Amino acid sequence: MIDVLVAVVWLVGAGFALLAAIGVLQLPDVFTRMQASTKASTLGIGCLLVGAALQLADVAGVVRAASIGAFVLLTSPVASHVIARAAYIAEVPLWKGTKLDERRRDARRDRGEFDGVESTP
Amino acid sequence: MSEFVTPIVLVMLAVAILIALVRLLAGPSLPDRVVAMDLIGVLTVGLIVVIAAATEYRALLDAAIVIALVGFVATVAYARFVEREGES
Amino acid sequence: MLLASILLALAWAALQGDFSLESLVVGYVLGYLVLFVLGRGGVLPARLTQKLWHATALGAFFVWEILLANIRVARDVLTPSRTISPAVVAVPLDITTDGEILLLSALINITPGSVTIDLSDDRRTLYVHVMHMETPEQTRHEIKHGFERRVHRLFA
């Protein structure tokens, strides 16, 4: 019974990890690719860890699996924010199909208030 | 059941790493490569977790923790670098 | 306080790997003592039970959102013709403290389909890149009435 559950959870986790990789390959710009890669570090790793905890089923195994989970949950949002911010500041182009960029609009407005003085982007 | 499924899961994760490797080599921008490298780190952690559970070799989980740690620090360091140097 | 120390007792027993009466009692007494000392020192929030409740509600909502977002992004990746409509949206914030903003942006980042790009210098606007945008107002509404409201309630 536990065996079947482990198998299902692992297949789901690996499936999401694979989808994340495909997304990173085929989505159009760095920001959308990042969205896909988040999938691997949430449901992907999450399912694999739950499966591993069920399979090991003892304190040492479960505690380590839980601490990996907690660690990934704490670090992955920080990592994706710093990459996104760095990419935006380095002016990596957004996909041409991007509908709206309100940060650019606000930056222009703020520069306008300072009347021609060029602020750092 | 899990003897049967484990190889399939490992192959799926390995294929995912290969696909991410294509993005790492293709770029085009540095942040794209950082995203791909970050993903490869996460996928490696998953791979090790599965191997550790399937072989009941718990010390491998510590290796997974270390890879997650190093991967995070590397990603943040690269992001700082991109922010300073601009896209190239 | 009672509920919290029972939880601590269970955690203690789980970490000891032994759910005997003995370890539960030891865990309960230790938990109660720690909570008592922390409460005296003024470290604990005043309404602990209520906080626990809000935290659980936020956690459940978060897991639900993660599941939805994963399925949505999976569909985007699989459909060959592009159905995505990404955008960078400015979200005006009602929350002000560092802790609230940190928690909100962590939640936004960990959900597939949205990434925080930047926080404005006056800390009142959060710029979020989303995978799907119908109208900017709708995206703002989703974030403000989804995560932000719950985060605010937890810290209030």
Side-chain angles (χ1 to χ4, degrees):
Chain A
M1 183 58 215
I2 291 265
D3 245 21
V4 179
L5 198 60
V6 171
V8 170
V9 170
W10 272 0
L11 283 175
V12 170
F16 274 111
L18 197 55
L19 278 177
I22 295 172
V24 167
L25 186 65
Q26 69 119 15
L27 285 169
D29 69 3
V30 63
F31 300 98
T32 48
R33 281 172 201 149
M34 205 150 28
Q35 322 272 22
S37 99
T38 318
K39 208 159 51 207
S41 49
T42 56
L43 264 196
I45 283 280
C47 288
L48 294 177
L49 282 171
V50 168
L54 288 173
Q55 172 89 24
L56 291 171
D58 64 359
V59 177
V62 172
V63 167
R64 280 185 197 162
S67 57
I68 296 177
F71 188 76
V72 170
L73 216 58
L74 283 178
T75 56
S76 95
V78 179
S80 50
H81 172 71
V82 290
I83 309 174
R85 192 181 137 86
Y88 194 94
I89 287 175
E91 290 175 352
V92 175
L94 290 156
W95 179 45
K96 60 183 184 323
T98 304
K99 280 163 85 179
L100 183 71
D101 183 353
E102 293 193 321
R103 188 182 184 276
R104 171 151 307 222
R105 182 205 64 192
D106 287 359
R108 284 221 186 94
R109 184 200 63 199
D110 292 349
R111 276 205 293 276
E113 280 173 10
F114 291 121
D115 208 351
V117 179
E118 197 70 22
S119 68
T120 47
Chain B
M1 187 76 185
S2 64
E3 309 82 60
F4 178 67
V5 165
T6 308
I8 302 178
V9 170
L10 290 180
V11 167
M12 283 168 83
L13 288 172
V15 170
I17 291 179
L18 281 179
I19 294 174
L21 209 56
V22 173
R23 176 53 70 199
L24 180 70
L25 294 175
S29 72
L30 187 54
D32 285 304
R33 296 178 211 270
V34 178
V35 169
M37 195 195 65
D38 190 52
L39 179 61
I40 290 175
V42 171
L43 292 172
T44 311
V45 171
L47 198 72
I48 293 178
V49 165
V50 171
I51 294 175
T55 60
E56 308 249 322
Y57 191 51
R58 285 166 188 72
L60 280 180
L61 288 176
D62 294 334
I65 294 178
V66 173
I67 290 183
L69 183 81
V70 173
F72 170 64
V73 174
T75 303
V76 172
Y78 266 117
R80 303 294 304 173
F81 176 75
V82 171
E83 222 174 294
R84 254 207 344 258
E85 302 290 312
E87 187 204 347
S88 52
Chain C
M1 190 89 165
L2 193 72
L3 182 66
S5 41
I6 289 174
L7 285 178
L8 282 178
L10 287 176
W12 172 267
L15 284 174
Q16 294 281 306
D18 136 49
F19 277 95
S20 65
L21 186 65
E22 204 182 313
S23 69
L24 280 174
V25 169
V26 172
Y28 184 82
V29 171
L30 279 179
Y32 194 87
L33 280 177
V34 169
L35 286 176
F36 181 75
V37 172
L38 286 180
R40 273 299 174 84
V43 186
L44 285 183
R47 288 158 305 172
L48 192 62
T49 324
Q50 204 189 345
K51 293 261 166 189
L52 274 176
W53 171 246
H54 283 320
T56 316
L58 177 64
F61 178 72
F62 171 62
V63 170
W64 174 243
E65 282 289 300
I66 291 253
L67 288 177
L68 277 188
N70 269 293
I71 291 163
R72 215 179 302 144
V73 176
R75 215 184 44 210
D76 293 334
V77 170
L78 285 179
T79 44
S81 61
R82 295 234 159 86
T83 53
I84 59 173
S85 50
V88 179
V89 177
V91 181
L93 294 179
D94 291 325
I95 55 179
T96 45
T97 62
D98 283 343
E100 287 171 310
I101 296 175
L102 177 69
L103 182 58
L104 177 65
S105 24
L107 292 173
I108 290 174
N109 274 327
I110 230 174
T111 313
S114 55
V115 165
T116 57
I117 300 269
D118 205 356
L119 182 67
S120 66
D121 288 337
D122 59 5
R123 297 155 46 92
R124 287 170 117 166
T125 314
L126 192 64
Y127 295 97
V128 183
H129 182 277
V130 290
M131 200 90 148
H132 285 279
M133 188 202 69
E134 294 295 323
T135 61
E137 284 74 26
Q138 197 201 335
T139 302
R140 279 192 271 271
H141 183 269
E142 273 167 23
I143 291 177
K144 291 193 79 67
H145 284 76
F147 281 139
E148 195 194 7
R149 193 163 53 103
R150 289 179 171 79
V151 168
H152 189 63
R153 234 190 265 152
L154 177 62
F155 278 79

